[in-house]
Amino acid sequence: RPGYRLPATVTMPDGEGPVPCIVFFAGSGPTDRDWTSPLLPGRNGSAAQLARALEARGVGSIRFDKVGSGVNMPKSADPADLAMLDVLSLAHYVDEALAAFDERASRDRCGRIFFLGHSEGSIHASSAAVVRQGDPRFGGLISLSGPSRSLLDTAIEQLRAMRIQSGADPAETDQALAGFR
């Protein structure tokens, strides 16, 4: 979508010449580029840790806040803030991964470029890999703990948790989510 920005963090090892690069795609819900989530306790940032470890071994990466996560999450329930979620769709998630791939492919320092998805992110990374599989820079797909349940079940559980956490009535929330299902 015109004007849409994809906030990201790039890590690249020191040196010259092309290196393998990885596009990280976070798991479900509001999980940010570092793989922390307001729905989970702690902030270990395992994606940031993994990116730094890979960088130390000569691998570059890009991690981004997909729509609805990190700095790409609405700040309030105000319609102006919620407008960013207008793009939220499975296709948009794939577009975000492709944009990150293309950004890395535009850099001479990146040789082969791999998609790495965690949990639900494995689905989106896989879909992006299908689109880019014919690209000579495409290196492959890495799936970390792919999802073990449907996207619908995951979405309902996370929406419920976010609503309850924000003070919504559990019975009303369950009724609305039953209609969503």
Side-chain angles (χ1 to χ4, degrees):
R1 162 176 131 163
Y4 181 80
R5 296 178 44 93
L6 189 62
T9 300
V10 172
T11 60
M12 290 298 292
D14 292 333
E16 304 274 330
V19 298
C21 289
I22 298 175
V23 173
F24 282 60
F25 202 103
S28 62
T31 305
D32 68 16
R33 71 181 94 179
D34 293 337
W35 297 355
T36 62
S37 171
L39 299 179
L40 299 173
R43 296 193 52 83
N44 77 357
S46 56
Q49 292 178 40
L50 179 57
R52 286 190 299 272
L54 289 167
E55 178 185 20
R57 289 162 180 79
V59 177
S61 66
I62 184 169
R63 310 182 315 278
F64 57 90
D65 287 339
K66 65 188 185 287
V67 67
S69 74
V71 298
N72 229 351
M73 182 182 291
K75 304 297 181 234
S76 73
D78 182 280
D81 284 343
L82 293 175
M84 76 167 44
L85 294 179
D86 287 347
V87 298
L88 183 59
S89 69
L90 297 178
H92 181 79
Y93 280 153
V94 173
D95 289 345
E96 289 180 333
L98 295 173
F101 179 100
D102 292 345
E103 193 287 327
R104 292 290 77 203
S106 73
R107 310 295 175 162
D108 292 338
R109 285 288 325 277
C110 285
R112 294 291 197 133
I113 303 166
F114 298 78
F115 289 104
L116 180 153
H118 175 258
S119 187
E120 179 191 323
S122 293
I123 294 169
H124 310 302
S126 177
S127 296
V130 168
V131 174
R132 286 292 182 267
Q133 66 185 338
D135 188 305
R137 302 282 289 279
F138 175 69
L141 170 68
I142 304 162
S143 177
L144 296 179
S145 300
S148 60
R149 57 191 166 151
S150 75
L151 288 176
L152 179 61
D153 289 340
T154 301
I156 287 173
E157 179 182 313
Q158 291 177 348
L159 288 169
R160 184 178 194 282
M162 287 187 288
R163 294 293 303 142
I164 302 301
Q165 192 176 54
S166 69
D169 178 67
E172 289 177 19
T173 298
D174 290 340
Q175 183 177 10
L177 289 173
F180 175 71
R181 181 178 287 281

